Amino acid sequence: NAGVTQTPKFQVLKTGQSMTLQCAQDMNHEYMSWYRQDPGMGLRLIHYSVGAGITDQGEVPNGYNVSRSTTEDFPLRLLSAAPSQTSVYFCASSYVPDYYNSPLHFGNGTRLTVT
Amino acid sequence: AQSVSQHNHHVILSEAASLELGCNYSYGGTVNLFWYVQYPGQHLQLLLKYFSGDPLVKGIKGFEAEFIKSKFSFNLRKPSVQWSDTAEYFCAVVRGGSQGNLIFGKGTKLSVKP
């Protein structure tokens, strides 16, 4: 049972480059989300999705795009990387955010450095 | 806007000391409250949650938290910490009755000296 799988684990980009962080879950979860974690800032929600074809912005969406073409996958795209996007990114999922019955499951994170 | 405040950025304790980590939230309505733990190099894991009922909630690994509605607080406690409790702890809130998004506090790093 893989749970939430994020790739890559580490990535270094140059300013202006674009890339996609992958997130896949095999639990048939409808709800998926992306957070970024920065020292002293906790986790901040970037984008989330409540099902295939439905996405919405979180607290810090600027500079990121998402799409949800399947239930399993929720990729996060950096359009033009900036040093301010250096962070650790976590993908999380649950059965439609019913936190009583379905805790949020986190992936192991992607550590991104933008130089 | 709903916010979550964790008072301590870094707490250092010796083994067997008692722990209390503070968490306050700003939302005035019904809330659901959580504590997550992140061990070094790992992802976040749920420690405990409060939805309703007994305001004293017991979680895994001997942790407990008390919901005090009048103080908008949900402090995490453990009577006797172990070296293996070294981790970062995050309080999180979601509006009760809503299937919204979790709002996390900034986290408290706990270091336990052996």
Side-chain angles (χ1 to χ4, degrees), chain B residues 53-68:
Chain B
D54 189 344
L56 184 61
V57 180
K58 295 193 183 298
I60 61 172
K61 305 187 180 187
F63 285 92
E64 64 180 30
E66 185 175 12
F67 171 53
I68 303 179

Side-chain angles (χ1 to χ4, degrees), chain A residues 71-89:
Chain A
T71 299
E72 294 77 21
D73 300 298
F74 190 45
L76 178 72
R77 295 184 189 85
L78 279 70
L79 308 172
S80 177
S84 61
Q85 293 179 304
T86 294
S87 186
V88 180
Y89 292 83

Side-chain angles (χ1 to χ4, degrees), chain A residues 31 33 35 37-38 40-43 45 48 57 59 90 96-104 106-109, chain B residues 9 32 34 36 38 41-46 49 51-52 88 90 94 98-107:
Chain A
Y31 177 82
S33 55
Y35 288 86
Q37 183 180 23
D38 303 291
M41 299 294 290
L43 280 82
L45 182 66
Y48 65 97
Q57 295 180 349
E59 182 185 357
F90 286 99
V96 189
D98 173 9
Y99 300 111
Y100 183 79
N101 293 304
S102 175
L104 209 55
F106 284 85
N108 286 328
Chain B
H9 295 296
N32 302 141
F34 307 79
Y36 280 81
Q38 185 179 28
Q42 296 187 24
H43 58 83
L44 276 78
Q45 303 170 47
L46 181 67
K49 61 187 178 186
F51 275 69
S52 63
E88 191 158 14
F90 294 91
V94 64
S98 167
Q99 295 181 328
N101 298 297
L102 277 176
I103 306 299
F104 285 88
K106 293 183 178 182

Side-chain angles (χ1 to χ4, degrees), chain B residues 40-87:
Chain B
Q42 296 187 24
H43 58 83
L44 276 78
Q45 303 170 47
L46 181 67
L47 261 183
L48 48 79
K49 61 187 178 186
Y50 171 79
F51 275 69
S52 63
D54 189 344
L56 184 61
V57 180
K58 295 193 183 298
I60 61 172
K61 305 187 180 187
F63 285 92
E64 64 180 30
E66 185 175 12
F67 171 53
I68 303 179
K69 188 174 182 179
S70 61
K71 295 185 178 181
F72 298 88
S73 70
F74 190 56
N75 293 353
L76 181 71
R77 301 195 292 245
K78 186 171 183 179
S80 176
V81 296
Q82 300 172 321
W83 177 78
S84 57
D85 293 324
T86 294

